[in-house]
Amino acid sequence: MADEKDREEIVVAEFHKKIKEAFEVFDHESTNTVDVREIGTIIRSLGCCPSEGELHDLIAEIEEEEPTGYIRFEKFLPVMTEILLERRYRPIPEDVLLRAFEVLDTAKRGFLTKDELIKYMSEEGEPFSQEEMEEMLSAAIDPESNSVNYKDYISMMVTDEN
Amino acid sequence: MGSGTSTQHHFAFQNAERAFKAAALIQRWYRRYMARLEMRRRCTWSIFQSIEYAGEQDQVKLHGFFSYLMDHFTPSSHNERDFLSRIFTEERFAQDSKMEKCSDYESIEVPDSYRGPRLSFPLLPDHATALVEAFRLKQQLHARYVLNLLYETKKHLVQLPNINRVSTCYSEEITVCGDLHGQLDDLIFIFYKNGLPSPERSYVFNGDFVDRGKDSVEILMILFAFMLVYPKEFHLNRGNHEDHMVNLRYGFTKEVMNKYKIHGKEILRTLKDVFCWLPLATLIDEKVLILHGGVSDITDLELLDKIERCKIVSIMRCNTRQKSEKMEEQRKANQKSSAQGPIPWFLPQSRSLPSSPHRLGPYQAHKSSRSSSIPCGGSLDGRELSQQVWSSVELELERCRQQAGLLVTEEKEEPSCSASETDSDTEELQKPTQEEWRQVVDILWSDPMAQEGCKANTIRGGGCYFGPDVTEQLLQKYNLQFLIRSHECKPEGYEFCHNRKVLTIFSASNYYEVGSNRGAYVKLGPALTPHIVQYQANKATHTLTMRQRISRVEESALRALREKLFAHSSDLLIEFKKRDVDKVGLITLSDWAAAVESVLHLGLPWRMLRSQLVNSSADNMLEYQSWLKNLAKEQLSRENIQSSLLETLYRNRSNLETIFRIIDSDHSGFISLDEFRQTWKLFSSHMNIDVTDDCICDLARSIDFNKDGHIDINEFLEAFRLVEKSCPEGYASECPQATNAEDSGCSSPGAR
């Protein structure tokens, strides 16, 4: 029993350091606050993959009672630690991602046209902003075929991350 | 039928739902990917910035050390001055002979074979335009014209006030540009996109024209030429890099000597003058104040208006006027074994100090207010430090004196009272007061911060950090609308802060690396509303996706970081061993992060960078010895050189090079073996280096320097691959392009 507790303490301590580091990257002036618009980036860079809706709920939890536009570290730390301990918002495995693309590729061609991609990403799910859409298109679409071979696309993105 | 339809509906619904979910999943994944990319970008930025500022800090500390020695040991006999003083006396005497030296250019002959631009004075607009064109075609201006232009420039600058007052009545628009740092492509692009200077088109260039980039000379020539041609419309402010001491480290001195092998020395000497005569600030319509760094809580524009700005030659030499009683006091204090007076700001900082104000540790638990002395390097453990420094300084000087090999006579000369007094009096009057010096340093070196207040800028080593309240106070006091400053590289080329009362404008795109940042300039319309234009002077970046751009820049930053890590291998090993309690050769990755930070003090997010710096680790444990070995393998090229020696040299290469250049006061590129030995002794004791003098001298001898006991600086540094490439890789000379159309001044980027 005691052993387990020790181990958990070490794990928590390590989480704390990680969280602090990520937070500080966005806290240039060491005010122990970050702009609320950066919280999503911080949470995701810590290994989590929440949806926009889940992020929204999270922010509501860690915001001040009267929202200031900033998130304080003292509020962020415990919530984030909990998330990491519970392994919430796990990232999406490659094969699941592939299947998602295949669902959208109703004709099972192995690719999606540019227009189809735009339609799905800007109209379905949690729609992209124009900026997000443009950025995805710039990397995904092969200008010659005007389509994205999603299997290749996924491989490229995944290797790039590593 | 009914069930059929409902089944169809059911399927349709299911399909729609599945598509919805699939889309949501892909979006969720993509957003996470982008977030991680953003994080990498920020970390990369931190790496570059922290290394850059650490270098600046180093510079200040290093020269502060020399200054301190000089100021303490100056007064008495000339014999005590030995080789250190040559650096400083050369400067003083230069002031007198400046006039004669400058007109020497007339005797320089320009050969017929010279195909570059030929200038005649007074300059005409065509000359200035011709210069731009010539430099675009990679021509070089002949030394004679360079010197002539500098001479005329100085004549013009001397007439200008410290704060240039400009009115928008005369020209239709004013364009303000920030740091250029020798990047000619950016300047050419600005003129191409915004138009050449003219009576209808005013320009203000806000300092830092030189250093780092490879075409600082050409930039100066163009800027000075336009200033002479359009004196009412073209304005220059001094930046912290318009300083010959800073130039020694950051590449401008090297560039000049490389491009002008015969006359470079003279050019540099003339430039010393020109730089200190550059105006300190520009004021537009009495409403917008433009200066290079920033302001402080004591900034006094009226005082700044009145001082003799040419007396502030370099930030590195805090050589200010001292009242005689103060000197006496200091001397008494110095003789005590435990000095209790205010600690000079430039004392070498021990490793126990926090490296960056961003990591407010136990030493700065409270917001440190400005001390009344010169910018203070944070709270030090004063007594201990000063004791250490004291004994080492005394010891070293004693050794230097003995070793000087110069004829140190037995008897110390008693200064003949009358002569030295009048001498020192006039010398004294030529120095600025502490107050004046501080005012100027604040203007050139300060950075804005988000917190209120004003505290010493420990990262740069000079100036301060000023908060929005300081800005507000100043704007109100002088009835100004806002400040424009430069000095800091920004990813978008500009940044508003302090409720849009402070605008940072930075005009050197791709500053850290190709793709690292945009450049920008700002146009002020009739109501003085700022209107920003961004650009990136490299075609190649446009074809890359954001992902690729970030990867390139990141790789460059990581390379620089790995080099730094290697340079501290011995210290890292010590720290690793401390944490390897069981002596198994393994430490946790968490310990790795802590150890690295404790040695490098860069304040970087090591856990985030870890995956890029540490290749393999079995269940979160690192075999540190082999990791260090791998680092070394990357950096070492000569196996026969002792790795620890190389490491030492790497760590200190920038300092070493700078010191060499100081010693080489005639910029010949050679210093004598004796000078080298003395340099090394002083340097190694100051920097706590473990390598023996014999070892280093043997090494020096083994390099091909059989030239009458002289050592070629470049050869020495090159031998250890310590010479930085003069032309950064990937630096484009292609046609530049703007990435963005106008960004109306009303928007502001992202956070805050």
Side-chain angles (χ1 to χ4, degrees):
Chain A
M1 240 352 181
D3 240 357
E4 226 182 85
K5 244 213 145 182
D6 280 343
R7 245 179 293 145
E8 176 160 332
E9 265 176 37
I10 296 177
V11 168
V12 168
E14 187 54 26
F15 280 165
H16 280 184
K17 287 195 203 126
K18 265 184 153 160
I19 296 169
K20 186 160 194 286
E21 235 190 34
F23 195 87
E24 277 171 354
V25 172
F26 288 86
D27 177 23
H28 324 275
E29 325 267 357
S30 310
T31 54
N32 281 333
T33 61
V34 299
D35 190 311
V36 65
R37 290 169 287 185
E38 320 267 32
I39 281 291
T41 310
I42 298 175
I43 294 178
R44 287 173 171 128
S45 70
L46 284 165
C48 303
C49 199
S51 67
E52 290 290 284
E54 287 165 331
L55 193 59
H56 190 80
D57 292 337
L58 258 176
I59 290 178
E61 214 182 303
I62 53 182
E63 248 179 347
E64 303 297 314
E65 260 138 43
E66 290 194 21
T68 57
Y70 295 104
I71 303 290
R72 282 187 302 124
F73 183 65
E74 298 84 55
K75 281 203 128 185
F76 181 66
L77 184 63
V79 174
M80 195 65 224
T81 311
E82 202 56 38
I83 292 173
L84 289 180
L85 279 172
E86 292 174 6
R87 315 194 76 203
R88 254 190 273 164
Y89 315 126
R90 295 269 80 209
I92 299 161
E94 215 177 305
D95 55 333
V96 174
L97 187 59
L98 183 59
R99 255 180 284 144
F101 273 103
E102 284 171 349
V103 164
L104 300 180
D105 177 17
T106 43
K108 307 292 173 239
R109 302 150 297 178
F111 63 85
L112 289 173
T113 68
K114 180 174 171 184
D115 286 339
E116 285 170 342
L117 191 63
I118 293 179
K119 182 177 84 133
Y120 283 123
M121 294 296 107
S122 349
E123 294 174 22
E124 300 281 350
E126 292 176 317
F128 274 171
S129 68
Q130 192 181 356
E131 213 185 307
E132 284 173 314
M133 193 68 249
E134 276 170 15
E135 182 51 47
M136 181 185 231
L137 289 172
S138 72
I141 297 291
D142 168 23
E144 277 176 33
S145 61
N146 228 25
S147 64
V148 53
N149 177 318
Y150 45 82
K151 211 164 177 199
D152 291 343
Y153 177 58
I154 294 173
S155 310
M156 175 185 80
M157 299 286 263
V158 165
T159 43
D160 185 52
E161 288 229 285
N162 304 337
Chain B
M1 249 324 134
S3 61
T5 332
S6 78
T7 323
Q8 270 175 15
H9 277 313
H10 181 65
F11 274 130
F13 181 71
Q14 258 197 348
N15 283 340
E17 203 186 332
R18 285 172 73 210
F20 185 91
K21 283 191 176 154
L25 194 120
I26 294 171
Q27 288 152 346
R28 181 158 66 103
W29 161 80
Y30 184 77
R31 284 175 172 130
R32 175 163 178 260
Y33 176 83
M34 291 308 287
R36 292 182 70 181
L37 207 60
E38 173 64 18
M39 187 54 102
R40 276 165 66 191
R41 194 185 67 76
R42 298 247 177 172
C43 288
T44 302
W45 192 263
S46 303
I47 295 176
F48 279 130
Q49 240 184 8
S50 66
I51 293 184
E52 174 182 14
Y53 292 165
E56 284 187 346
Q57 204 189 105
D58 245 4
Q59 174 77 346
V60 176
K61 278 190 252 168
L62 183 66
H63 291 88
F65 179 65
F66 282 121
S67 268
Y68 178 72
L69 291 177
M70 261 320 290
D71 284 345
H72 177 72
F73 288 93
T74 293
S76 30
S77 72
H78 284 263
N79 278 347
E80 290 201 306
R81 290 194 176 192
D82 70 354
F83 82 107
L84 271 182
S85 68
R86 278 201 293 107
I87 308 157
F88 301 101
T89 51
E90 191 241 345
E91 216 184 85
R92 288 186 199 151
F93 294 144
Q95 298 279 48
D96 309 348
S97 45
K98 60 187 184 228
M99 273 316 175
E100 294 96 274
K101 286 291 177 184
C102 280
S103 37
D104 265 0
Y105 63 82
E106 274 168 17
S107 58
I108 303 177
E109 276 195 30
V110 182
D112 288 332
S113 56
Y114 171 70
R115 290 270 159 265
R118 289 168 187 263
L119 305 178
S120 61
F121 293 83
L123 272 185
L124 298 170
D126 279 351
H127 288 128
T129 317
L131 272 182
V132 180
E133 190 53 25
F135 293 149
R136 198 178 67 80
L137 298 171
K138 313 270 179 250
Q139 288 171 6
Q140 185 169 304
L141 187 65
H142 195 274
R144 184 217 165 93
Y145 300 120
V146 174
L147 286 166
N148 200 350
L149 180 54
L150 290 179
Y151 177 61
E152 296 293 322
T153 300
K154 167 144 182 234
K155 273 197 335 201
H156 170 77
L157 288 176
V158 165
Q159 303 162 19
L160 297 178
N162 295 344
I163 302 180
N164 259 327
R165 281 165 167 82
V166 175
S167 169
T168 48
C169 315
Y170 300 116
S171 65
E172 287 160 14
E173 54 180 59
I174 296 191
T175 305
V176 183
C177 302
D179 296 26
L180 284 170
H181 281 301
Q183 296 187 185
L184 183 61
D185 283 352
D186 286 308
L187 179 58
I188 291 182
F189 178 77
I190 294 173
F191 284 161
Y192 161 75
K193 175 130 175 94
N194 196 47
L196 287 171
S198 72
E200 292 80 37
R201 192 174 294 116
S202 290
Y203 272 96
V204 178
F205 281 86
N206 202 12
D208 276 12
F209 321 122
V210 303
D211 275 335
R212 304 202 122 124
K214 61 182 179 54
D215 295 313
S216 303
V217 175
E218 284 70 29
I219 289 199
L220 284 183
M221 294 298 102
I222 294 176
L223 296 181
F224 291 157
F226 276 113
M227 185 177 64
L228 292 175
V229 167
Y230 298 118
K232 288 213 208 67
E233 294 85 14
F234 199 86
H235 310 278
L236 302 177
N237 289 339
R238 188 178 185 184
N240 63 308
H241 277 259
E242 274 70 57
D243 178 333
H244 70 284
M245 291 293 233
V246 178
N247 299 151
L248 283 169
R249 175 184 286 257
Y250 286 101
F252 181 48
T253 310
K254 206 192 310 192
E255 182 192 324
V256 172
M257 292 313 297
N258 274 338
K259 288 181 175 167
Y260 295 96
K261 298 200 172 12
I262 305 175
H263 297 283
K265 192 168 58 170
E266 212 180 314
I267 293 176
L268 286 170
R269 195 175 23 217
T270 316
L271 271 167
K272 235 189 265 188
D273 276 344
V274 171
F275 282 165
C276 58
W277 272 109
L278 283 167
L280 300 170
T282 302
L283 186 58
I284 303 193
D285 288 348
E286 304 289 321
K287 284 285 160 217
V288 179
L289 182 61
I290 309 175
L291 31 73
H292 179 74
V295 297
S296 75
D297 52 357
I298 56 150
T299 295
D300 181 347
L301 293 184
E302 282 131 359
L303 178 60
L304 276 167
D305 249 333
K306 288 190 280 200
I307 68 176
E308 282 180 66
R309 64 182 188 269
C310 62
K311 289 196 283 188
I312 320 277
V313 180
S314 163
I315 183 200
M316 303 302 174
R317 296 195 38 237
C318 168
N319 213 359
T320 57
R321 209 180 300 169
Q322 309 222 10
K323 304 231 168 81
S324 39
E325 321 97 65
K326 254 197 179 164
M327 293 271 276
E328 263 316 296
E329 251 181 62
Q330 258 195 2
R331 226 169 289 192
K332 286 200 191 126
N334 294 338
Q335 277 157 18
K336 282 197 218 147
S337 56
S338 58
Q340 285 166 23
I343 311 300
W345 62 289
F346 37 62
L347 281 187
Q349 309 219 0
S350 70
R351 258 193 245 134
S352 55
L353 295 166
S355 61
S356 113
H358 293 192
R359 307 281 170 258
L360 296 178
Y363 301 93
Q364 285 174 287
H366 59 284
K367 282 194 203 134
S368 50
S369 55
R370 288 287 297 297
S371 73
S372 57
S373 62
I374 301 162
C376 170
S379 42
L380 312 170
D381 189 0
R383 237 161 275 152
E384 243 177 65
L385 205 47
S386 111
Q387 254 178 312
Q388 274 178 29
V389 172
W390 264 115
S391 42
S392 76
V393 159
E394 293 267 332
L395 213 50
E396 210 36 56
L397 276 159
E398 200 43 55
R399 276 191 232 152
C400 274
R401 273 179 234 132
Q402 287 167 8
Q403 263 232 334
L406 307 177
L407 334 149
V408 181
T409 54
E410 289 306 289
E411 342 91 68
K412 280 199 180 163
E413 287 176 20
E414 280 309 312
S416 75
C417 293
S418 49
S420 68
E421 249 170 40
T422 32
D423 273 349
S424 57
D425 269 350
T426 37
E427 262 178 33
E428 282 297 300
L429 287 174
Q430 278 176 10
K431 299 188 209 163
T433 62
Q434 259 189 26
E435 172 77 21
E436 292 171 342
W437 185 85
R438 217 175 2 168
Q439 290 278 337
V440 175
V441 169
D442 282 347
I443 298 278
L444 299 181
W445 285 77
S446 301
D447 293 311
M449 64 173 177
Q451 300 152 302
E452 306 224 316
C454 190
K455 59 186 192 199
N457 193 327
T458 46
I459 276 208
R460 294 204 195 248
C464 67
Y465 288 111
F466 60 100
D469 53 331
V470 176
T471 301
E472 191 56 39
Q473 187 192 344
L474 189 102
L475 295 180
Q476 285 206 5
K477 180 170 177 192
Y478 297 107
N479 204 10
L480 305 169
Q481 261 174 32
F482 64 97
L483 285 183
I484 301 181
R485 43 89 64 176
S486 305
H487 198 39
E488 282 181 297
C489 183
K490 298 291 177 191
E492 293 298 314
Y494 76 99
E495 191 175 273
F496 282 98
C497 66
H498 293 188
N499 295 320
R500 297 182 71 87
K501 297 288 178 68
V502 175
L503 167 63
T504 301
I505 196 86
F506 194 85
S507 301
S509 66
N510 304 321
Y511 180 58
Y512 290 126
E513 174 58 75
V514 172
S516 67
N517 64 287
R518 292 197 173 113
Y521 56 86
V522 58
K523 298 164 74 97
L524 298 177
L528 296 180
T529 357
H531 172 87
I532 315 258
V533 177
Q534 295 168 292
Y535 54 86
Q536 203 152 7
N538 185 315
K539 219 195 231 170
T541 51
H542 305 308
T543 56
L544 301 173
T545 61
M546 193 197 302
R547 186 189 117 249
Q548 288 167 315
R549 235 181 296 143
I550 292 180
S551 296
R552 275 182 78 162
V553 184
E554 190 183 36
E555 194 41 54
S556 177
L558 290 171
R559 231 180 294 134
L561 197 53
R562 274 189 215 110
E563 206 179 272
K564 257 216 176 291
L565 284 168
F566 164 70
H568 290 85
S569 300
S570 314
D571 288 337
L572 283 172
L573 186 60
I574 294 173
E575 288 297 317
F576 290 155
K577 284 199 167 143
K578 269 193 214 163
R579 291 164 169 81
D580 178 15
V581 182
D582 301 324
K583 307 272 174 271
V584 286
L586 295 170
I587 51 169
T588 66
L589 291 171
S590 175
D591 282 335
W592 173 86
V596 171
E597 176 59 23
S598 75
V599 171
L600 288 196
H601 293 301
L602 287 174
L604 292 173
W606 294 107
R607 280 170 188 78
M608 296 210 165
L609 299 169
R610 198 218 334 143
S611 55
Q612 315 268 35
L613 297 169
V614 177
N615 264 338
S616 54
S617 49
D619 29 70
N620 261 11
M621 299 295 277
L622 172 67
E623 244 188 274
Y624 52 87
Q625 298 258 25
S626 51
W627 180 72
L628 285 171
K629 272 210 190 78
N630 282 332
L631 265 185
K633 246 191 253 167
E634 282 173 43
Q635 308 293 333
L636 278 175
S637 66
R638 290 168 148 241
E639 298 82 47
N640 52 336
I641 299 177
Q642 216 188 342
S643 127
S644 66
L645 175 59
L646 185 61
E647 174 198 326
T648 303
L649 291 171
Y650 253 83
R651 182 178 347 158
N652 297 288
R653 74 160 176 215
S654 202
N655 282 335
L656 260 181
E657 187 178 347
T658 312
I659 292 184
F660 279 164
R661 293 197 190 279
I662 296 177
I663 303 305
D664 176 26
S665 47
D666 61 357
H667 301 296
S668 63
F670 294 101
I671 59 176
S672 72
L673 186 52
D674 253 350
E675 287 170 332
F676 172 68
R677 253 209 301 267
Q678 288 169 42
T679 309
W680 180 259
K681 276 190 87 65
L682 198 62
F683 177 72
S684 56
S685 81
H686 170 54
M687 297 291 182
N688 282 324
I689 293 175
D690 224 354
V691 177
T692 68
D693 307 323
D694 287 337
C695 187
I696 195 74
C697 288
D698 282 341
L699 207 51
R701 239 177 259 118
S702 74
I703 297 165
D704 176 31
F705 85 99
N706 41 8
K707 300 164 190 176
D708 305 322
H710 276 90
I711 177 169
D712 180 322
I713 296 176
N714 286 324
E715 245 187 18
F716 181 78
L717 296 173
E718 178 57 46
F720 298 96
R721 277 193 4 198
L722 299 182
V723 175
E724 283 168 41
K725 288 184 229 158
S726 50
C727 180
E729 267 175 298
Y731 193 84
S733 47
E734 299 160 3
C735 248
Q737 266 184 33
T739 52
N740 253 357
E742 277 69 336
D743 171 12
S744 149
C746 298
S747 69
S748 62
R752 242 161 278 187

